[in-house]
Amino acid sequence: MPKEKKLAIYPGTFDPITNGHLDIIQRAVSLFESVIVAVTTNPSKAPLFTVSERVNMIEEATSKLENVTVENFSGLLMHYAEKRNADVIVRGLRAITDFEYEFQMALVNRKLAGDIVTVFLMPNEKYTYLNSTIVKEVAKFDGDVSSFVPQNVHENLIDRFKNE
Ligand code: ADP
């Protein structure tokens, strides 16, 4: 299938990136000409990793994918998306529980910038139970998260929790 010549932004906290996020990025790459993974700097949650640590981990994990770049942004997503001339916002939908929040966000974002389309992608079902919070919980108590996150993230998690 020829790719749409479109710029897609995949925004999130990515604290840290998981195999579920990577699955969505791969799907976005197969659909759109270029994909920006955009890490929010908004401190709504107290993150485990700094913005630059999160950006670096995503860069390493996506280094083999063509046309993926990683950036950070602050403030409103739609202001940033307009500035970058994005066509599409990509979000991942895991389960019905994601739906209500994502639906609300997508409609608000459409009001803010009607030309930018939100596209929802579903990951492989083996990732539907994954989120960054559960990965951090398991890693914190020495559980094995090697099948949940890319290798570099696994190493960073071990390092971060080794003194606890
Ligand atoms: P946010 O704080 O914006 O929700 P996240 O990093 O938690 O940031 O998630 C970014 C996006 O990735 C969201 O659309 C979320 O639904 C999606 N996502 C998170 N984990 C997964 C997963 N395991 N599979 C598919 N999509 C996911």
Side-chain angles (χ1 to χ4, degrees), residues 144-159:
D144 180 7
V145 294
S146 57
S147 59
F148 301 158
V149 292
Q151 175 68 25
N152 64 315
V153 173
H154 187 206
E155 285 160 15
N156 277 288
L157 282 165
I158 290 173
D159 196 53

Side-chain angles (χ1 to χ4, degrees), residues 10-14 20-21 24 45 91-92 94 98 102 123 127 130:
Y10 178 38
T13 310
F14 304 106
H21 293 127
I24 298 294
K45 311 165 194 165
R91 295 287 287 175
R94 282 160 292 191
D98 279 339
E102 294 291 343
Y127 299 129
L130 259 191

Side-chain angles (χ1 to χ4, degrees), residues 3 6 8 25-37 59 61-70:
K3 285 187 205 184
K6 290 193 186 309
I25 295 169
Q26 277 154 359
R27 286 173 206 278
V29 164
S30 74
L31 291 170
F32 305 113
E33 193 177 41
S34 44
V35 176
I36 300 175
V37 183
E59 274 173 348
T62 59
S63 62
K64 292 204 174 73
L65 295 175
E66 259 174 65
N67 301 327
V68 174
T69 50
V70 189

